[in-house]
Amino acid sequence: MKRVLVTGAAGQIGTELVPALRTQYPDAVVAASDIRAGDPILEEGGPFVTLDVTRPQAVARCVAEHGVDAIFHLAAILSATAEDDPQAAYHVNMDGLHNVLEAARASGCSVFVPSSIAAFGPGTPTEAPQDTIQRPNTIYGVTKVAGELLCDYYHHKYGVDVRGVRYPGLISYMAPPGGGTTDYAVDIFYHAIRDGEYTCFLEADTQLDMMYMPDALRAAIELMETDAGGLRHRNAFNVAAMQLTPEHLAEEIRKHVPGFQIHYDVDPKRQAIAESWPRRVDDSAAREEWGWQPEFGLEAMVEDMLARLGERLGAAAASS
Ligand code: NAD
């Protein structure tokens, strides 16, 4: 990877993936792009360009002008936001992906495309195998399954080197999450530090797969680096790190923030979405085919998250 383009770079993943790529590949040009401005860090150590992925010519031009050889395609509308405007979600998630794959086909570059545990549905077994029934009932999930298939198609039909993982809910401290159903697992840390209490929009025992951002970034980079010869699946690898319920997460936070309280005010829309997803995924294909191994479990994640977010919020308060 010598000339990399990250779409949707101002979001939760891109804000950390762009600096991680610039650190890992100091001789490469890593261009960050989005339809909106993001954290100033995106403009350090490489270009930031405004790019709307729903505009096919703009995407093709950007890839050609920058001589891009790898795209990390992160631009998307996430689960809860997508349900409020399914047409916009379809446009960004499907047409945007199609435009990126077309640009990759024309220029011969490789592509990383994240799918999600939302690509499963109520008919999927509660521990989701790598290859299983995928009949999601959310527009986000529909676009994720269709996206997985489109990526496979571009590989088989045109030889585009496109790879991807199904991310679980991601926990991070740099950028706020973008309207997903697992956002509670990030919000809870802000409220624990600032207020000592949090009102959760999911029920106490709703179990979902989650992952700490450093593991998510490593998954993307390691999958793109691996020798393609060992890949049987290529796209949409299940990857897992920990299974959380709001109750267990609150219990672990309480070990560091004594007296921390969690209350519940359940949002029926997000609860229904969460209940349509598996309680955990089986990631043995990723482990076998490219050596996937998470580093952070619940205890290490909570300790690191509280320390780093605490520093960040403290620094922000001191400078205001
Ligand atoms: P996010 O919502 O934080 O960021 C998405 C970015 O896309 C935003 O900065 C937004 O401005 C941008 N965007 C929206 N429309 C655009 C357009 N037309 N053109 C260009 N940019 C546009 O999302 P994220 O959490 O960073 O997720 C990135 C990818 O990872 C998505 O495909 C998402 O489905 C997937 N994913 C994320 C999670 C998670 O928990 N964060 C879990 C599973 C999968």
Side-chain angles (χ1 to χ4, degrees), residues 20-34:
L21 289 169
R22 286 176 180 160
T23 303
Q24 182 135 348
Y25 305 103
D27 298 330
V29 177
V30 178
S33 72
D34 204 293

Side-chain angles (χ1 to χ4, degrees), residues 29-49:
V29 177
V30 178
S33 72
D34 204 293
I35 42 167
R36 62 179 172 117
D39 191 294
I41 202 170
L42 295 173
E43 294 175 39
E44 289 168 17
F48 179 88
V49 292

Side-chain angles (χ1 to χ4, degrees), residues 22-232:
R22 286 176 180 160
T23 303
Q24 182 135 348
Y25 305 103
D27 298 330
V29 177
V30 178
S33 72
D34 204 293
I35 42 167
R36 62 179 172 117
D39 191 294
I41 202 170
L42 295 173
E43 294 175 39
E44 289 168 17
F48 179 88
V49 292
T50 301
L51 177 65
D52 181 344
V53 295
T54 64
R55 298 179 55 215
Q57 277 124 3
V59 175
R61 201 167 44 239
C62 181
V63 168
E65 272 172 10
H66 286 84
V68 169
D69 61 16
I71 305 173
F72 287 77
H73 176 50
L74 305 180
I77 295 188
L78 272 68
S79 58
T81 313
E83 280 314 297
D84 294 335
D85 191 346
Q87 289 70 26
Y90 185 90
H91 188 41
V92 173
N93 295 5
M94 290 312 306
D95 296 332
L97 173 61
H98 183 241
N99 294 338
V100 164
L101 290 171
E102 273 296 294
R105 177 168 81 90
S107 67
C109 62
S110 57
V111 193
F112 174 80
V113 180
S115 185
S116 160
I117 53 169
F120 299 117
T124 303
T126 50
E127 176 163 349
Q130 175 64 44
D131 301 306
T132 185
I133 297 163
Q134 291 180 264
R135 305 284 295 174
N137 55 9
T138 62
I139 188 67
Y140 178 65
V142 167
T143 63
K144 286 297 174 188
V145 182
E148 291 179 1
L149 295 173
L150 195 62
C151 289
D152 281 346
Y153 182 79
Y154 267 71
H155 174 61
H156 292 136
K157 177 87 177 171
Y158 301 118
V160 175
D161 183 8
V162 51
R163 309 178 186 190
V165 298
R166 293 184 184 126
Y167 279 132
L170 299 181
I171 299 173
S172 69
Y173 56 86
M174 284 280 289
T181 301
T182 51
D183 290 8
Y184 89 83
V186 176
D187 296 344
I188 194 170
F189 286 96
Y190 283 82
H191 287 271
I193 292 169
R194 285 182 179 144
D195 315 322
E197 62 180 337
Y198 175 63
T199 303
C200 183
F201 57 76
L202 292 185
E203 283 168 11
D205 60 352
T206 310
Q207 182 183 303
L208 292 169
D209 260 302
M210 302 274 178
M211 183 179 288
Y212 195 32
M213 189 61 84
D215 277 336
L217 304 181
R218 216 166 35 73
I221 295 170
E222 285 180 11
L223 176 58
M224 292 305 279
E225 283 285 353
T226 203
D227 181 357
L231 297 181
R232 244 183 0 99

Side-chain angles (χ1 to χ4, degrees), residues 240-311:
M242 62 189 99
Q243 290 76 38
L244 295 187
T245 66
E247 198 174 17
H248 287 141
L249 181 54
E251 232 171 78
E252 191 59 34
I253 291 175
R254 205 169 292 123
K255 291 181 189 163
H256 303 266
V257 184
F260 173 65
Q261 298 275 327
I262 185 161
H263 316 285
Y264 296 92
D265 181 11
V266 174
D267 169 15
K269 179 182 84 176
R270 285 179 285 189
Q271 183 65 36
I273 295 176
E275 282 173 14
S276 75
W277 295 349
R279 288 165 66 83
R280 63 182 300 157
V281 300
D282 172 6
D283 64 356
S284 47
R287 289 172 188 261
E288 284 159 21
E289 291 178 41
W290 49 280
W292 162 246
Q293 185 72 52
E295 281 175 8
F296 284 86
L298 173 63
E299 288 173 21
M301 178 276 289
V302 167
E303 194 178 334
D304 200 65
M305 187 68 193
L306 283 171
R308 289 177 189 267
L309 184 62
E311 271 168 31

